[in-house]
Amino acid sequence: MNAWQGYPVPPLRHEAPFADRLVRCFGSRPPSVYALLERAIARRPDQEALVCAGQRWSYAQLGAEARCIAAGLHARGVKPGDRVALFVGNRPEFVFVLFAVQRLGAIAVPIGVREARAGLSFMLNQCGASAIVFDAELAGRIPDVNEVPSLALRVVIGAALDAGSGATGGAETLADLAAQPGADPGAPVPPAPVQDTDTAVILYTSGTTGHPKGAMLTHFNIAHSVLHY
């Protein structure tokens, strides 16, 4: 029996998105990860999108959070193609920052919060990260500028860190970044144009038998995974 039988299947067509082989693709897929959120907002703005510890956000509210953070990151120099690391636990801010990064056409690099400082430094250097967003309780593992010279922007979720906090001293809080002038969701930074074959996310392997390797997931990959799910 066809596994899709009885379900509304989006139209499929053969394409060669990566030039080496024909594959069956969803013809009406969103063109980017951020477009997935835009589609949800357009279809059901007031429906529940995210729930955590008794707090709830609609799709419209999720979009507003992402737009404010995107404006703050943009004002700090984050641009299309930049790598932005997320050293963030299972919390709503992870979702907000992920979509903010995607709105800017930057590349999100989520890193597991159990990663030690040495491994974190390797990944940040290997992908050339220009920014990192991290939980305040993980501040002790954030490498300093000598360890990762490319890391120009550090944003902390939680309490502000004083200037004597070593590698993270003076890191801007996510709340302050999202609330700065120009981060008004009524006049947002427009979504950056991307190709669906552009990299959206880099996921690192565990590195148990050597250095971790970064798997580059495209907007095409992620949109198809979402539609399949």
Side-chain angles (χ1 to χ4, degrees):
M1 179 183 290
N2 188 330
W4 292 104
Q5 189 172 347
Y7 292 87
V9 182
L12 290 160
R13 66 189 182 203
H14 282 92
E15 296 181 35
F18 303 105
D20 57 347
R21 67 187 187 282
L22 281 173
V23 294
R24 295 181 74 199
C25 303
F26 291 117
S28 59
R29 64 187 179 271
S32 69
V33 172
Y34 191 77
L36 288 165
L37 177 59
E38 289 185 307
R39 176 184 283 194
I41 293 171
R43 290 179 173 177
R44 44 188 183 276
D46 299 323
Q47 288 190 17
E48 201 164 78
L50 184 63
V51 179
C52 182
Q55 291 183 282
R56 298 171 184 273
W57 292 264
S58 67
Y59 282 101
Q61 290 169 327
L62 171 55
E65 295 280 358
R67 289 194 300 272
C68 287
I69 295 169
L73 292 172
H74 175 77
R76 297 295 182 269
V78 176
K79 59 188 184 299
D82 282 356
R83 277 70 165 162
V84 180
L86 283 74
F87 199 41
V88 180
N90 188 14
R91 58 191 301 168
E93 290 87 351
F94 180 94
V95 182
F96 303 155
V97 174
L98 175 66
F99 280 113
V101 170
Q102 296 302 315
R103 184 180 178 91
L104 295 177
I107 299 172
V109 187
I111 297 174
V113 295
R114 291 185 291 179
E115 189 64 54
R117 182 168 178 145
L120 179 60
S121 295
F122 174 83
M123 294 177 196
L124 296 173
N125 277 310
Q126 207 269 343
C127 74
S130 62
I132 186 169
V133 181
F134 61 94
D135 288 335
E137 58 268 28
L138 302 175
R141 281 184 262 162
I142 306 300
D144 62 31
V145 68
N146 295 319
E147 294 170 276
V148 185
S150 65
L151 202 58
L153 177 63
R154 298 157 192 264
V155 180
V156 60
I157 300 172
L161 302 170
D162 62 42
S165 299
T168 56
E172 185 169 10
T173 68
L174 184 65
D176 286 345
L177 179 137
Q180 67 153 31
D184 178 3
V189 177
V194 297
Q195 300 296 317
D196 66 357
T197 52
D198 290 343
T199 300
V201 174
I202 297 175
L203 293 179
Y204 275 89
T205 62
S206 62
T208 51
T209 58
H211 286 308
K213 297 175 178 64
M216 298 182 292
L217 304 183
T218 66
H219 295 275
F220 177 94
N221 297 143
I222 296 171
H224 273 80
S225 293
V226 170
L227 292 175
H228 276 296
Y229 180 80

